[in-house]
């Protein structure tokens, strides 16, 4: 019972850390891309509004990077302290991407510092833009290497386990496991998409508050245009992720869709509820949807959850996580599409109050979708921490006082969250874009 409690608290603490860190990690991956887009287009069009946009985004980005470093360090410590059995087993195999992630972050941090302190110091401004390329690459590769570790937990390979002893270790095979392509692509695309919607929500909020300056309108146009592209790619990659699950983690897909009996021509079930007999009620059913998601054909056979032992089945509530994530993603795609349609045919409707309110909430919605996606990914793997090799309860620490650590870190994250909001608010409230533009004579 004691070990069960410690495993439970270890899970709670890890979940809390990941839930908090993922916000800043997502911004850390996506915002450099948006800064690069704004500066590149600004230089190309000789647009001072877009150049100032890049400059202001870069200032705010530094704050999020600082918080991300703290929470990222906490995750590294917690892997060793809370999950020693897992690290003893998996650390021998998957340590290479963890090591490489450190170098990716070093590249990002070094060039970010140089980039920030060399504004207006190059006769050719394109040379300054070149300094941002390592920042974009470093931040994205940092996400790639960490996601590879997570992919390995879902589809472990590159080693042999005999009587508890690991042999025949192949780090590259472990890194390039079947889960890696779809997970890495989905993480990067969704991070770019989420960051675009966060920045779009800021621009929409300023317009909603009465600002009619071209600066905010150009920010809205740039961010929603990028959001449209990345939301489409995220949806396409999500389709590939469904096919990966059907082949390699069928129990996860079955639990997410409340699909219990192996069958063909299986519908896709959205929302609803399960009665006592595990019959789906009041759901939206899309004919052949799950079969098509699994392998593009209505006749595709989809493995049911009853094919797996009860103690190896994921919790059924992941169905709602999956549905909410997909629903939010579809809503955001529709929002960005609607904006571009209005730009083309009904420009007088672009800044309507209802559209600006919806857009100002899109950043929160995108972050929520990211959180739901990660919870679905992690809980959907349960009861395994290393699928097929080690269950979560066996990977956790048996040391006491994890419950105390949970409280301490909760207070820390609360302080970091509030502190970062206060700093960012003061940073931009006391030095508004309008003020800077007046100083530039714009």
């Amino acid at each position: 019972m004691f070990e069960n409690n410690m495993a439970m608290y270890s899970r709670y603490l890890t979940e809390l850390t990941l839930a908090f860190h993922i916000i800043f990690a997502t911004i850390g991956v996506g915002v450099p891309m948006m800064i690069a887009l704004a500066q590149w287009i600004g230089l190309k069009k000789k647009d001072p509004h877009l150049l100032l946009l890049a400059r202001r985004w870069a200032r705010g980005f530094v704050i999020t990077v600082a918080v991300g470093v703290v929470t990222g360090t906490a995750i590294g410590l917690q892997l060793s302290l809370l999950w020693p059995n897992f690290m003893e087993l998996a650390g021998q195999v998957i340590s290479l991407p963890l090591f490489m992630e450190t170098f990716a972050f070093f590249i990002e941090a070094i060039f970010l510092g140089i980039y920030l302190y060399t504004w207006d110091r190059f006769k050719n401004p394109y040379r300054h833009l070149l300094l941002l390329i390592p920042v974009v690459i470093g931040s994205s590769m940092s996400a790639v290497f960490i996601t590879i570790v997570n992919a390995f937990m879902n589809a472990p390979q590159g080693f042999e386990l005999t009587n508890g002893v690991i042999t025949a270790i192949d780090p590259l095979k472990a890194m390039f496991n079947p889960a890696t392509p779809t997970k890495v692509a989905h993480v990067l695309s969704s991070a770019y998409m989420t960051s675009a919607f966060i920045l779009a929500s800021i621009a929409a909020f300023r317009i909603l508050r009465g600002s009619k300056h071209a600066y905010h309108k150009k920010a809205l146009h740039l961010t929603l245009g990028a959001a449209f592209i990345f939301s489409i790619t995220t949806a396409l990659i999500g389709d590939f992720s469904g096919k990966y699950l059907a082949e390699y983690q069928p129990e996860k897909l079955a639990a997410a869709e409340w699909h219990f009996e192996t069958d063909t021509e299986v519908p896709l079930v959205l929302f609803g509820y399960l009665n006592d007999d595990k019959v789906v009620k009041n759901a939206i059913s899309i004919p052949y949807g799950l079969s098509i998601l699994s392998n593009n054909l209505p006749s595709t056979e989809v493995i049911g959850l009853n094919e797996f032992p009860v103690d190896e089945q994921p919790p059924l509530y992941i169905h709602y996580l999956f549905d909410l994530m997909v629903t939010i993603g579809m809503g955001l795609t529709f929002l960005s599409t609607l904006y571009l349609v209005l730009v083309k045919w009904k420009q007088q409707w672009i800044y309507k109050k209802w559209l600006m309110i919806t857009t100002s909430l899109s950043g929160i919605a995108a972050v929520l979708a990211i959180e739901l996606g990660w919870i679905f990914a992690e809980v959907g793997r349960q009861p395994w921490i290393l699928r097929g090799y080690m269950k979560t309860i066996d990977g956790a620490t048996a040391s006491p006082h994890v419950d105390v650590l949970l409280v301490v870190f909760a207070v820390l994250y609360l302080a970091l969250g509030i502190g970062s909001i206060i700093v960012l608010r003061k940073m931009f409230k006391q030095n508004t874009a309008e003020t800077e533009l007046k100083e530039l004579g714009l």
Side-chain angles (χ1 to χ4, degrees), residues 43-63:
L43 289 173
K44 189 176 179 181
K45 294 185 175 182
K46 297 182 180 179
D47 190 328
H49 294 121
L50 292 179
L51 293 175
L52 180 61
L53 193 65
R55 195 165 192 163
R56 287 174 65 83
W57 282 350
R59 293 173 195 160
F61 176 63
V62 174
I63 306 301

Side-chain angles (χ1 to χ4, degrees), residues 32 35 58-59 61-63 65-66 105-119 128 131-132 134-135:
I35 296 171
R59 293 173 195 160
F61 176 63
V62 174
I63 306 301
V65 168
F105 172 72
F106 283 165
I107 291 172
E108 176 191 1
I110 291 169
F111 280 92
L112 177 61
I114 299 172
Y115 173 81
L116 289 171
Y117 288 102
T118 53
W119 278 97
H128 180 251
L131 292 172
L132 194 56
V135 179

Side-chain angles (χ1 to χ4, degrees), residues 206-421:
R206 292 294 302 147
I207 294 171
L208 192 63
R209 292 290 298 271
S211 176
K212 297 181 180 180
H213 204 287
Y215 171 88
H216 298 295
K217 293 179 179 180
K218 290 178 181 179
L220 184 70
H221 187 73
L222 174 64
T223 52
L224 283 181
F228 169 76
I229 295 171
F230 293 130
S231 62
I232 294 297
T233 58
T234 301
L236 292 174
I237 296 166
D239 178 69
F240 292 131
S241 297
K243 290 170 174 52
Y244 158 78
L245 290 177
E247 183 174 356
Y248 294 99
Q249 289 182 275
E251 75 283 2
K252 187 174 183 177
L253 183 63
E257 281 300 308
W258 289 345
H259 174 59
F260 297 99
E261 300 295 336
T262 301
D263 203 353
T264 59
E265 300 181 351
V266 182
L268 187 71
V269 175
L270 297 174
F271 299 103
Y273 69 93
L274 288 174
N275 64 14
D276 294 337
D277 297 322
K278 288 189 175 180
V279 176
V280 182
K281 296 289 185 179
N282 298 335
I284 301 171
S285 182
I286 302 175
Y288 313 118
L290 189 57
S291 289
I292 293 173
L293 177 65
S294 298
N295 197 28
N296 293 329
L297 297 173
S299 59
T300 300
E301 182 180 78
V302 184
I303 299 173
L305 194 60
N306 291 338
E307 299 286 338
F308 302 91
V310 175
D311 64 343
E312 294 182 8
Q313 295 179 6
L316 294 178
Y317 72 81
I318 66 172
H319 171 78
Y320 297 109
L321 303 177
F322 179 76
D323 286 354
L324 285 169
M325 176 188 66
V326 171
T327 301
I328 294 172
M330 291 174 62
L332 293 173
T333 303
F334 175 77
L335 173 64
S336 58
T337 304
L338 175 62
Y339 173 81
L340 294 179
V341 169
L342 293 178
V343 167
K344 184 70 173 178
W345 285 289
K346 292 286 185 179
Q347 290 195 15
Q348 68 271 23
W349 290 6
I350 292 175
Y351 306 112
K352 290 288 186 180
K353 186 175 180 179
W354 61 269
L355 185 57
M356 291 300 96
I357 291 174
T358 305
T359 306
S360 65
L361 296 174
S362 66
I364 296 174
V367 171
L368 178 59
I370 286 284
E371 295 283 8
L372 291 169
W374 270 105
I375 296 171
F376 167 72
E378 296 305 292
V379 176
R381 191 179 62 248
Q382 299 308 310
W384 303 101
I385 188 171
L386 189 63
R387 185 177 180 271
Y389 290 92
M390 178 181 286
K391 291 191 173 181
T392 302
I393 192 172
D394 299 322
T397 182
S399 301
H401 310 310
V402 179
D403 52 344
V404 177
L405 282 176
L406 176 60
V407 175
V408 171
F409 275 97
V411 173
L412 172 64
Y413 299 147
L414 181 64
L416 284 172
I418 294 174
S420 59
I421 291 172

Side-chain angles (χ1 to χ4, degrees), residues 174-194:
M175 288 177 62
F176 298 102
N177 58 75
T180 292
T182 54
K183 273 194 167 291
V184 166
H186 194 71
V187 164
L188 290 178
S189 181
S190 60
Y192 300 147
M193 181 197 75
T194 300

Side-chain angles (χ1 to χ4, degrees), residues 15-37:
E15 287 167 1
L16 176 64
T17 302
L18 285 172
F20 187 72
H21 175 71
I22 196 67
I23 298 172
F24 295 92
T26 298
I27 293 172
V29 173
V31 169
M33 177 68 75
M34 295 305 301
I35 296 171
L37 281 174

